Amino acid sequence: MPADAISSQTKLAPDALGPTVAVGEILVEIMAKSRGDGFLEPIELVGPYPSGAPAIFTDQCAKIGGSAAIVASVGDDDFGRINIERLLSDGADVSAISVSRDYPTGSAFVRYRNDGSRDFVFNIGKSAAAMVSLTAEAKALFARAGHLHVMGSAFAIPSVWETMDYAIGVIKRRGGSVSLDPNLRKELLGLGQTQERFARLVDVADLILPSGDELFMAAGVDGESAAITALFARGVTEIALKRGQHGSTFFGADGSRVDCPAFRVAEVDPTGAGDCFGGAYVACRRLGMSVFKALEYANAAGARNVTMQGPMEGAGSRQQLDEFIAVTPRNAQ
């Protein structure tokens, strides 16, 4: 089936119904300039950069032209202010970001090892990032929202759950939709009610955007074909599978499939690539674009972001992504 013929098969609510809303952490990221192991000696650092997976998603969603907002909390400090200013300048709705006078904005210190893996020092649990709550501003935002995007990183913030449950009920009742990016470590699934809550999110999701083994974790079975079948049986209508250097693939509940090649770039900082992919894909689909066009923009958004230092510094507008697509070679599929 031609890609353009699939553009209306998703159950994602159209952008006109109301904004896409993410819920979760906002951070600053401070990065080591040199590669090595950890932070056991004085080293040069660069930053702070606006960050947090839901914030990166929201920024890219808004910047490409979708209506986007976030429910989150920051401290009454410069780290909070640079995040709010970045989101606002890129077109996001920041009305439901609360500002805490008691807790600082969350932070992440990051250093790359020589093998490409990373060391982190986080302050999330004792920061404003963990203070997300169902405020009057959040309720007002959900009342006019058309789509909720949930990220696995939210599982680390217990207070998010009341907000998430409320949002799912309100948005689904008004004909809206839900997407899930299951970027969750397997180890967390065994903690408390996490597995039960994760399963509930899969059951209410219209769209799932997994990377690699996250597909199997979401489905509860191994094997790509079996996992896809299992997710569709649970009510999912659309899967956008991120394959890194191999591009991405759409799977539709009617058996349709669309593949889109990756862009060939020199990687500077991979942080935020998947979040930019998700922000672009959700925005494009809710704006009514065809599956292939949405995948192409999403691949471009993720690829462009890794070419720049900082987790959301490469998030692109539609014009910037068009220019990137026009001049950037693609990997063979």
Side-chain angles (χ1 to χ4, degrees), residues 167-249:
I168 290 169
V170 170
I171 292 172
K172 282 284 193 175
R173 278 196 298 274
R174 64 188 306 263
S177 49
V178 175
S179 56
L180 170 64
D181 186 339
N183 56 343
L184 174 69
R185 296 197 315 270
K186 289 182 178 180
E187 294 82 359
L188 287 177
L189 280 179
L191 299 179
Q193 296 178 295
T194 302
Q195 190 163 11
E196 176 185 334
R197 286 167 170 167
F198 183 74
R200 179 173 183 268
L201 287 173
V202 173
D203 288 337
V204 301
D206 300 283
L207 164 65
I208 293 186
L209 301 111
S211 296
D213 290 349
E214 292 171 359
L215 175 67
F216 313 135
M217 183 175 63
V221 297
D222 291 331
E224 184 174 290
S225 179
I228 290 164
T229 299
L231 289 172
F232 288 147
R234 292 171 67 174
V236 174
T237 60
E238 182 168 342
I239 298 168
L241 179 60
K242 294 170 277 185
R243 301 185 184 274
Q245 64 179 352
H246 302 295
S248 57
T249 302

Side-chain angles (χ1 to χ4, degrees), residues 99-293:
V99 178
S100 172
R101 295 185 177 180
D102 299 317
Y103 292 90
T105 300
S107 61
F109 287 77
V110 186
R111 189 181 192 188
Y112 282 90
R113 301 189 187 108
N114 290 323
D115 64 1
S117 59
R118 291 170 289 180
D119 288 314
F120 291 93
V121 177
F122 286 111
N123 177 24
I124 297 177
K126 301 297 183 181
S127 76
M131 300 296 113
V132 179
S133 62
L134 190 56
T135 62
E137 292 79 8
K139 288 182 177 180
L141 177 59
F142 295 140
R144 56 186 174 81
H147 185 83
L148 176 69
H149 182 70
V150 181
M151 313 194 81
S153 58
F155 287 83
I157 305 175
S159 62
V160 160
W161 286 101
E162 178 190 4
T163 303
M164 207 81 78
D165 284 341
Y166 179 92
I168 290 169
V170 170
I171 292 172
K172 282 284 193 175
R173 278 196 298 274
R174 64 188 306 263
S177 49
V178 175
S179 56
L180 170 64
D181 186 339
N183 56 343
L184 174 69
R185 296 197 315 270
K186 289 182 178 180
E187 294 82 359
L188 287 177
L189 280 179
L191 299 179
Q193 296 178 295
T194 302
Q195 190 163 11
E196 176 185 334
R197 286 167 170 167
F198 183 74
R200 179 173 183 268
L201 287 173
V202 173
D203 288 337
V204 301
D206 300 283
L207 164 65
I208 293 186
L209 301 111
S211 296
D213 290 349
E214 292 171 359
L215 175 67
F216 313 135
M217 183 175 63
V221 297
D222 291 331
E224 184 174 290
S225 179
I228 290 164
T229 299
L231 289 172
F232 288 147
R234 292 171 67 174
V236 174
T237 60
E238 182 168 342
I239 298 168
L241 179 60
K242 294 170 277 185
R243 301 185 184 274
Q245 64 179 352
H246 302 295
S248 57
T249 302
F250 161 92
F251 297 96
D254 62 350
S256 54
R257 170 176 176 153
V258 177
D259 293 289
C260 186
F263 292 91
R264 195 180 316 132
V265 294
E267 182 180 283
V268 173
D269 179 8
T271 304
D275 307 321
C276 283
F277 177 100
Y281 186 84
V282 170
C284 290
R285 294 298 282 143
R286 295 198 66 219
L287 288 167
M289 293 188 197
S290 70
V291 167
F292 183 82
K293 199 64 182 173

